[in-house]
Amino acid sequence: MTRITVEEAPGPAGQAVGRDEVWAGLLAFNEARAGAGSFASRPLSVLLRDEGGAVLGGLVGRSYAGWLYVELFHLPEAQRGAGNGRAILRAAEEEARARGCLGVRLETYSFQAPGFYAGLGYSVVGRLRDCPPGHTRFSLARRLDGAPLRDADPGGSSEETACST
């Protein structure tokens, strides 16, 4: 007999219990439909370091399914406004191209940097209002090959291409 359990305690390496088993099943399902190896994952870090080599901030992500996904991107206040963020993101995009990625995708909150990404050509492809309550979580993407992100919207909505807070 099967049963459903709800578990909060972390398993080995601090991950959720059962994560590896669920991922293996999902990966097998996805690759059976999209092609073997299409979800192979490769990590990427583009870091800003001080003179001593200590990491001050940067971008952490991974390429898979033909796209680079930016998981984390942070710069300390003292490192902002000098072009570091732009240089880090452009370096990540260049590496994504070298890996054969079609584009870059990421998420940001309304209180973080949606305008920064919009200014670099990223478009809103999704939004979740009240996440956290009173704020919006944006999903953004940018194709590296110049192709449109999606088919033309017959309704003429600019919501997918403009990022407003």
Side-chain angles (χ1 to χ4, degrees):
M1 174 189 325
T2 61
R3 62 190 173 102
I4 296 172
T5 63
V6 176
E7 301 178 33
E8 184 177 331
Q15 294 183 355
V17 171
R19 183 193 185 285
D20 292 343
E21 294 82 359
V22 171
W23 173 242
L26 180 60
L27 182 61
F29 177 89
N30 289 349
E31 289 193 340
R33 282 144 189 87
S38 47
F39 287 87
S41 177
R42 188 171 161 199
L44 172 67
S45 295
V46 181
L47 305 173
L48 179 65
R49 295 177 179 271
D50 68 12
E51 336 44 71
V55 174
L56 300 174
L59 177 151
V60 175
R62 62 186 48 257
S63 55
Y64 69 97
W67 284 73
L68 174 66
Y69 176 59
V70 176
E71 298 170 348
L72 305 169
F73 191 3
H74 173 75
L75 288 176
E77 292 283 340
Q79 302 301 323
R80 297 179 191 166
N84 290 322
R86 176 183 300 267
I88 288 169
L89 191 55
R90 292 302 191 219
E93 291 172 350
E94 186 162 326
E95 177 60 21
R97 277 188 196 89
R99 294 178 180 199
C101 293
L102 297 172
V104 179
R105 64 188 188 92
L106 56 90
E107 293 184 340
T108 191
Y109 292 100
S110 53
F111 55 83
Q112 289 179 328
F116 166 76
Y117 296 113
L120 292 174
Y122 284 75
S123 298
V124 173
V125 294
R127 63 181 75 218
L128 181 59
R129 289 181 174 80
D130 287 323
C131 177
H135 302 282
T136 300
R137 183 174 183 158
F138 295 100
S139 294
L140 296 105
R142 178 172 181 263
R143 292 221 27 157
L144 299 173
D145 61 4
L149 283 169
R150 54 179 256 162
D151 295 333
D153 183 359
S157 170
S158 63
E159 180 169 295
E160 299 303 320
T161 58
C163 192
S164 59
T165 55

